[in-house]
């Protein structure tokens, strides 16, 4: 059947474009795209690499290469609260990775995995531990989330990481909006994912009490285990002997959350601090009153950036470069 | 594999080169096309190629037996239809039917766990509704004597699996595509240029328009209703109307453009649907290949309009509800189909849509049609029946509106897209007439720089990458 008889078929226009016109246009398109990409690459060489989904984020951090100077370890307060890109405002020469995972506990396998992300040739190997009360509980050290990422394998995000890096020159010029995530309560949960491991998060409107109930439940099931702290200290000692700098801090959160954790979790900050300092870590003190949390546990994105810069300044002041 | 993915950038030149090298040899060319289409589809999940093979083999052999003039030809037609619908029922509708039955039985205090019995790996394969419908139309046309069955399995599988339109249409009839595949592909400079025009336009629609609107639409429909203002709901629905049009017609444009480069002509699937002056007119402009499929293989065999008025409405409702169910296995899609049937029935009964003539009358008809279509999109996009209710209550100002709303940070690009779309509705007719008159002279010079600009926009003004919406159907 001749498609020209088909009523749905659009007849081609009567113009007589030549092959030359077609080839010249294709060359012009290629040239324009290459030129724009070159200009964009020069403009935004250091811009943070934003991801499209959360699965890519955790694949990338789980299977990141051993090419970093500083690795942050912890739970969601670390991956939502510390932006490596903001830290680089203060420590521009460092390659930083945020290895925080949901309910991340200070278990030996996770700590070993974090160490493996360091560049052995680097003279500035540093591990920064975000020690929350929950991260020292038996439930957290099971590290279900991290294990599930490991089981899933590297996936396309990691396989195409080099390609994505090359395609960075073709990043859109308009910043995409923060995607909305269905929230369990009547607030809008907004999150952006970055290849360096940070999740910029906020709730509109903020719900500063909303996480308290969940943490009450968490600590009714599982409390701080001294054996976990002892194993962590052991690991810190090993790192120090290997020449790796170690910093530890309690990620800032709301006063209500600190009170709840101190009351229910069995976490005594002074004891944790002394134990880690005895093992060779540098303890950094931060007060939650300077940073806003959107849900009573995690820092909202603007405050996370401010906190990350403060954290970097404190690290820098201990080891001036 | 997605048209808007990096692997496709490498895949396409290889296929076009091989096609050109094999253009004079029929079976090796068809074998290459089938293999390329299977790679394209298998990139998502190779195990679901079995379904295309199964559906294809059933229809290939059934058509042979039907075409051989055996007395049992009706049985083979039934076998073909049941085979295809069986695949659809299993992979697309089993969970929906099981959930609905569970809920129904629970009303009578009968507690059965049917969903739990369905294996977890039974998931909805990409594009299943498109290729099963395309394959089914082949056996039905053979049965009706419109087409002689092909004896070449490569030609047949080339027809049902041709990669540009495999996963999201347009649904091309065998009477149109088989003869094109059989002949050596001839691509003139005009066809190649037109292909480029469609491809560039399709990518622009998808990456700039649809993908930039998607996050805001997702935000409206992904947020608790207490935070969404009536303005958010209306704007969200309007943006979804534009998103789904740009997304789906963008895919069709790319598919048609690729088809042109491969020496094939796929039928037009959209014709300015939001300029429709009635819902009946809308269905002549929206997803034309599907609406004509339902017209030819469901509505007319049921009796169409050549029957009593009551029976005619029944045929209409059944066709539209089946069309809704085709889009997705969920109650909002069924209600969406029923809503369209209700408005179409109302149009037929009252004939109001024909009474308004003249420029003002046409504007009024367009506005009423757009309103009906928007209401339909609100139902279509809702995640659940509860959200359908929330959306309608919000749109009708029946809830206390929150103070802030969720669309507080729209980018300049999003505003530009929305304003551009509204302006396009007004200037399209004038521009179209102008283009007709001056096409030869102006387009010749205007199109090359326009293509460069559209490609740059598709790359540098693109929204967050998203899969094409119609893949899920």
């Amino acid at each position: 059947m001749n498609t020209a008889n088909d009523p749905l078929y659009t007849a081609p226009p009567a113009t007589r474009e030549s092959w030359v016109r077609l080839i010249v246009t294709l060359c012009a398109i290629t040239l324009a795209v290459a030129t724009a990409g070159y200009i964009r690459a020069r403009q935004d060489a250091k811009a943070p690499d934003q991801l499209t989904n959360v699965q890519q984020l955790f694949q990338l951090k789980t299977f990141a290469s051993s090419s970093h100077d500083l690795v942050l370890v912890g739970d969601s307060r670390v991956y939502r609260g510390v932006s490596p890109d903001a830290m680089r405002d203060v420590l521009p020469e460092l390659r930083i990775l945020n290895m925080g995972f949901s309910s991340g506990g200070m278990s030996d396998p996770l700590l070993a995995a974090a160490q493996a992300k360091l560049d052995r040739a680097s003279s500035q190997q540093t591990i920064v531990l975000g020690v929350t009360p929950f991260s020292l509980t038996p439930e957290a050290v099971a590290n279900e989330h991290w294990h599930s990422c490991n089981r899933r394998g590297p996936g396309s995000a990691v396989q195409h990481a080099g390609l994505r890096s090359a395609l960075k020159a073709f990043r859109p010029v308009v910043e995409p909006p923060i995607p909305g995530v269905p929230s369990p309560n009547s607030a809008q949960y907004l999150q952006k994912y970055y290849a360096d491991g940070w999740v910029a998060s906020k709730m509109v409107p903020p719900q500063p009490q909303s996480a308290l109930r969940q943490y009450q439940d968490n600590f009714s099931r599982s409390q701080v285990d001294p054996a976990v702290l002892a194993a962590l200290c052991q690991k810190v000692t090993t790192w120090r002997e290997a020449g790796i700098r170690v910093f530890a801090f309690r990620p800032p959160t709301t006063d209500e959350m600190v009170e709840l954790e101190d009351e229910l979790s069995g976490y005594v900050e002074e004891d944790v601090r002394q134990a880690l300092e005895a093992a060779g870590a540098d303890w950094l003190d931060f007060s939650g009153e300077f940073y806003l949390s959107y849900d009573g546990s995690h820092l909202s994105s603007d405050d996370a950036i401010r906190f990350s810069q403060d954290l970097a300044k404190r690290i820098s002041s201990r080891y001036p470069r | 594999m997605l048209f808007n993915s990096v692997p496709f950038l490498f895949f396409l030149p290889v296929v076009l080169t091989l096609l050109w090298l094999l253009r004079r040899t029929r079976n090796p060319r068809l074998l290459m096309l089938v293999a390329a289409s299977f790679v394209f589809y298998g990139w998502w999940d190779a195990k679901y190629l079995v379904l295309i093979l199964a559906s294809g083999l059933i229809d290939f052999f059934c058509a042979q037996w039907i075409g051989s003039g055996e007395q049992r030809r009706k049985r083979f037609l039934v076998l073909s239809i049941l085979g295809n619908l069986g695949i659809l029922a299993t992979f697309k509708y089993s969970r929906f039917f099981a959930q609905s039955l569970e809920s129904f039985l629970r009303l009578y205090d009968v507690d059965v766990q049917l969903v739990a019995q369905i294996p977890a790996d039974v998931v909805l394969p990409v594009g299943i509704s498109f290729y099963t419908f395309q394959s089914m139309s082949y056996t039905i046309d053979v049965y009706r004597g419109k087409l002689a069955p092909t004896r070449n399995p490569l030609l047949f599988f080339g027809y049902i699996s041709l990669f540009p339109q495999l996963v999201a249409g347009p649904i091309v009839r065998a009477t149109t595509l088989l003869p094109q595949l059989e002949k050596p592909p001839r691509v003139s400079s005009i066809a190649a240029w037109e292909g480029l025009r469609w491809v560039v336009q399709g990518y622009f629609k998808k990456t700039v328009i649809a993908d930039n609107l998607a996050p805001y639409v997702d935000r409206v429909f992904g947020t608790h209703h207490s935070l969404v203002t009536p303005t958010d709901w209306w704007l969200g629905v309007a943006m979804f109307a534009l998103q789904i049009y740009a997304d789906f017609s963008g895919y069709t444009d790319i598919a048609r453009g690729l088809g042109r480069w491969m020496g094939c002509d796929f039928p037009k699937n959209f014709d300015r649907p939001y300029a429709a002056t009635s819902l009946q007119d809308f269905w002549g402009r929206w997803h034309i290949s599907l609406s004509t499929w339902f017209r030819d293989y469901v509505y007319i065999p049921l009796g169409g309009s050549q029957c009593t008025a009551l029976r005619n409405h029944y045929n209409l409702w059944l066709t539209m509800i089946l069309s809704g169910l085709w889009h997705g296995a969920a109650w909002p899609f069924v209600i969406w189909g029923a809503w369209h049937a209700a408005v179409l029935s109302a149009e037929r009964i009252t004939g109001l849509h024909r009474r308004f003539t003249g420029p003002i009358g046409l504007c009024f008809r367009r506005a009423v049609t757009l309103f009906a279509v928007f209401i339909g999109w609100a139902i279509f996009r809702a995640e659940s029946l509860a959200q359908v209710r929330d959306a309608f209550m919000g749109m009708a100002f029946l809830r206390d509106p929150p103070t802030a709303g969720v669309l507080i940070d729209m980018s300049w690009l999003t505003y530009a897209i929305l304003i551009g779309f509204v302006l396009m509705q007004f200037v399209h007719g004038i521009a179209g007439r102008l283009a007709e008159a001056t096409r030869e002279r102006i387009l010749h010079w205007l199109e090359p720089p326009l293509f460069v600009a559209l490609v740059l926009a598709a790359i540098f003004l693109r929204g967050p990458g998203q899969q094409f919406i119609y893949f899920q159907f």
Side-chain angles (χ1 to χ4, degrees):
Chain A
M1 178 186 158
N2 185 348
T3 52
N5 296 329
D6 185 338
L8 299 178
Y9 170 70
T10 310
T15 51
R16 287 276 180 264
E17 288 92 345
S18 66
W19 285 108
V20 174
R21 185 180 173 222
L22 183 71
I23 290 164
V24 168
T25 305
L26 287 175
C27 290
I29 288 172
T30 310
L31 190 67
V33 170
T35 309
Y38 176 73
I39 294 167
R40 186 112 179 90
R42 286 178 63 96
Q43 270 178 346
D44 294 321
K46 291 187 175 174
D49 188 3
Q50 198 179 328
L51 307 170
T52 51
N53 65 60
V54 69
Q55 199 169 328
Q56 279 185 342
L57 169 90
F58 287 109
Q59 277 177 319
L60 279 172
K61 63 169 78 178
T62 306
F63 296 97
S65 61
S66 306
S67 59
H68 299 89
D69 302 302
L70 188 153
V71 176
L72 296 138
V73 191
D75 56 21
S76 56
R77 276 189 210 162
V78 169
Y79 75 68
R80 294 186 192 280
V82 188
S83 157
D85 190 55
M87 288 182 75
R88 274 192 298 273
D89 292 343
V90 180
L91 303 165
E93 74 281 17
L94 293 193
R95 296 161 294 171
I96 305 173
L97 174 70
N98 187 324
M99 270 278 281
F101 287 88
S102 297
S103 303
M106 297 295 165
S107 71
D108 203 53
L110 178 65
L111 296 170
Q115 184 188 351
K117 307 302 178 199
L118 291 172
D119 180 357
R120 287 188 178 192
S122 167
S123 59
Q124 306 195 63
Q125 292 182 60
T126 308
I127 288 180
V128 180
L129 303 165
V131 189
T132 62
F134 191 70
S135 70
L136 298 175
T137 63
E139 188 174 319
V141 295
N143 274 310
E144 274 303 317
H145 183 209
W146 176 65
H147 283 299
S148 72
C149 294
N150 258 321
R151 281 194 295 271
R152 202 176 292 133
S156 59
V158 179
Q159 286 158 6
H160 300 149
L163 187 60
R164 213 190 53 252
S165 176
L167 291 176
K168 213 175 146 186
F170 303 104
R171 288 186 322 111
V173 291
V174 179
E175 180 84 350
I178 302 177
V181 176
S183 162
N185 48 41
S186 55
Q188 196 184 5
Y189 202 176
L190 305 171
Q191 306 186 59
K192 271 187 191 176
Y193 315 110
Y194 290 91
D196 58 16
W198 182 46
V199 178
S201 328
K202 63 178 171 184
M203 262 184 193
V204 183
Q207 308 262 309
Q209 309 285 324
S210 67
L212 295 173
R213 179 65 190 267
Q214 190 201 328
Y215 277 80
Q216 276 176 344
D217 292 346
N218 288 348
F219 294 124
S220 68
R221 290 193 310 269
S222 194
Q223 296 196 329
V224 171
D225 183 350
V228 175
L229 179 60
L232 174 62
C233 292
Q234 180 68 40
K235 193 75 185 173
V236 170
T237 306
T238 318
W239 283 337
R240 295 297 294 131
E241 286 168 1
I244 299 171
R245 294 167 193 160
V246 183
F247 294 91
F249 67 100
R250 182 176 186 176
T253 184
T254 60
D255 289 346
E256 290 98 318
M257 181 61 82
V258 171
E259 265 178 43
L260 182 147
E261 287 179 334
D262 289 352
E263 190 182 325
L264 301 179
S265 70
Y267 183 90
V268 181
E269 188 173 322
E270 193 51 33
D271 292 353
V272 173
R273 172 195 182 128
Q274 283 178 7
L276 285 168
E277 284 182 338
D282 267 336
W283 183 267
L284 306 173
D285 261 327
F286 292 97
S287 170
E289 66 183 297
F290 300 115
Y291 311 101
L292 283 179
S293 162
Y294 59 85
D295 65 348
S297 172
H298 307 101
L299 298 188
S300 57
S301 50
D302 293 342
D303 290 79
I305 289 175
R306 218 154 41 77
F307 170 68
S308 306
Q309 291 163 340
D310 292 347
L311 176 65
K313 282 177 198 161
R314 301 284 286 277
I315 291 171
S316 181
S317 68
R318 299 287 172 102
Y319 286 94
R321 285 163 175 80
Chain B
M1 201 181 293
L2 299 172
F3 287 163
N4 53 343
S5 68
V6 174
F8 189 73
L9 283 179
F10 298 95
F11 171 83
L12 182 65
V14 172
V15 173
L16 291 179
T17 308
L18 288 174
L19 192 63
W20 185 76
L21 292 172
L22 299 170
R23 67 190 182 284
R24 294 186 208 287
T25 55
R26 193 182 68 160
N27 282 344
R29 172 172 51 84
L30 290 171
L31 180 63
M32 189 281 295
L33 270 183
V34 173
S37 299
F38 277 32
V39 168
F40 178 85
Y41 190 83
W43 205 266
W44 165 67
D45 193 336
K47 67 174 181 280
Y48 289 103
L49 285 171
V50 174
L51 290 181
I52 299 183
L53 276 170
S55 172
L57 286 172
I58 291 170
D59 290 331
F60 179 74
F61 286 110
C62 282
Q64 296 294 317
W65 292 320
I66 293 168
S68 65
E70 284 191 33
Q71 288 181 334
R72 288 175 297 175
R73 53 202 297 273
K74 197 164 191 173
R75 286 189 193 173
F76 290 118
L77 176 68
V78 171
L79 177 66
S80 158
I81 292 172
L82 286 182
N84 282 295
L85 294 183
I87 290 172
L88 266 181
T90 306
F91 287 90
K92 185 165 179 174
Y93 298 106
S94 51
R95 272 175 218 285
F96 169 65
F97 290 144
Q99 274 167 356
S100 301
L101 194 57
E102 272 183 15
S103 306
F104 178 74
L105 291 174
R106 219 168 282 139
L107 293 175
Y108 297 95
D109 291 332
V110 180
D111 195 14
V112 288
Q113 301 293 321
L114 297 172
V115 178
Q117 310 299 320
I118 300 170
D121 55 354
V122 174
V123 296
L124 178 63
V126 169
I128 188 170
S129 304
F130 286 95
Y131 65 74
T132 48
F133 268 44
Q134 185 154 319
S135 191
M136 253 195 297
S137 73
Y138 167 75
T139 42
I140 299 173
D141 282 351
V142 170
Y143 178 79
R144 289 175 174 177
K146 287 187 176 177
L147 178 74
T150 174
R151 296 192 178 280
N152 185 344
L154 289 174
L155 181 59
F156 177 73
F157 275 98
Y159 159 66
I160 64 162
S161 69
L162 195 61
F163 74 87
Q165 44 85 239
L166 170 62
V167 288
I171 301 168
V172 190
R173 307 287 174 85
T175 46
T176 303
L177 193 52
L178 279 179
Q180 296 183 39
L181 288 175
E182 205 162 13
K183 284 186 296 187
R186 295 173 67 89
V187 183
S188 67
S189 63
I190 292 174
W193 186 261
E194 198 164 76
L196 181 66
R197 181 188 298 144
W198 277 333
V199 167
V200 168
Q201 172 179 307
Y203 275 108
F204 178 82
K205 281 181 181 175
K206 166 64 183 161
T207 64
V208 180
I209 300 177
D211 286 354
N212 274 302
L213 296 176
Y216 297 106
V217 175
D218 292 347
R219 203 185 274 185
V220 170
F221 284 88
T223 304
H224 194 271
H225 63 76
S226 62
L227 290 172
V228 186
T229 64
T231 314
D232 289 338
W233 279 119
W234 279 106
L235 206 51
V237 170
M239 285 199 279
F240 178 64
L242 186 49
Q243 181 204 351
I244 195 168
Y245 170 63
D247 190 285
F248 193 18
S249 72
Y251 184 94
T252 304
D253 287 345
I254 298 170
R256 291 184 83 196
L258 298 179
R260 294 293 268 162
W261 287 344
M262 295 164 69
C264 297
D265 288 321
F266 300 148
K268 197 172 177 179
N269 215 13
F270 293 89
D271 183 14
R272 296 180 61 219
Y274 296 136
T277 53
S278 66
L279 209 58
Q280 189 182 355
D281 185 24
F282 174 80
W283 280 106
R285 295 163 174 264
W286 177 271
H287 202 173
I288 300 167
S289 64
L290 180 75
S291 51
T292 49
W293 197 101
F294 271 100
R295 182 196 65 198
D296 294 345
Y297 298 108
V298 180
Y299 180 68
I300 291 176
L302 284 170
S305 55
Q306 306 299 310
C307 50
T308 63
L310 196 63
R311 174 72 194 192
N312 177 218
H313 286 285
Y314 169 78
N315 295 342
L316 178 68
W317 276 74
L318 186 60
T319 306
M320 293 312 296
I321 286 173
L322 286 176
S323 164
L325 206 52
W326 177 91
H327 282 84
W331 284 108
F333 293 111
V334 177
I335 296 173
W336 174 75
W339 164 253
H340 277 267
V343 178
L344 285 166
S345 275
E347 280 182 357
R348 286 187 185 186
I349 293 166
T350 62
L352 272 177
H353 63 290
R354 281 192 289 271
R355 291 186 196 166
F356 298 95
T357 52
I360 295 173
L362 277 179
C363 276
F364 175 70
R365 281 164 58 175
R366 280 197 181 120
V368 171
T369 306
L370 209 54
F371 177 78
V373 171
F374 276 23
I375 295 293
W377 287 139
I379 302 168
F380 188 95
R381 179 59 180 79
E383 312 273 350
S384 61
L385 290 179
Q387 195 173 47
V388 173
R389 183 200 59 209
D390 292 334
F392 284 159
M393 289 186 74
M395 290 163 85
F397 294 81
L398 293 176
R399 283 194 196 281
D400 291 335
T403 48
V406 294
L407 296 178
I408 47 177
D409 58 347
M410 291 210 310
S411 66
W412 63 265
L413 182 59
T414 314
Y415 283 112
I417 291 168
L418 290 173
I419 293 167
F421 177 70
V422 173
L423 288 178
M424 281 291 285
Q425 295 302 306
F426 288 105
V427 300
H428 195 284
I430 302 166
R433 280 192 289 277
L434 195 69
E436 283 297 318
T438 57
R439 187 168 207 154
E440 288 281 346
R441 279 178 289 120
I442 293 185
L443 280 192
H444 189 81
W445 297 107
L446 199 64
E447 276 198 324
L450 183 66
F451 287 0
V452 172
L454 288 180
V455 170
L456 287 176
I459 294 171
F460 293 104
L461 293 181
R462 70 184 189 276
Q466 295 248 344
Q467 188 168 287
F468 287 88
I469 295 176
Y470 262 68
F471 276 21
Q472 63 189 291
F473 306 139

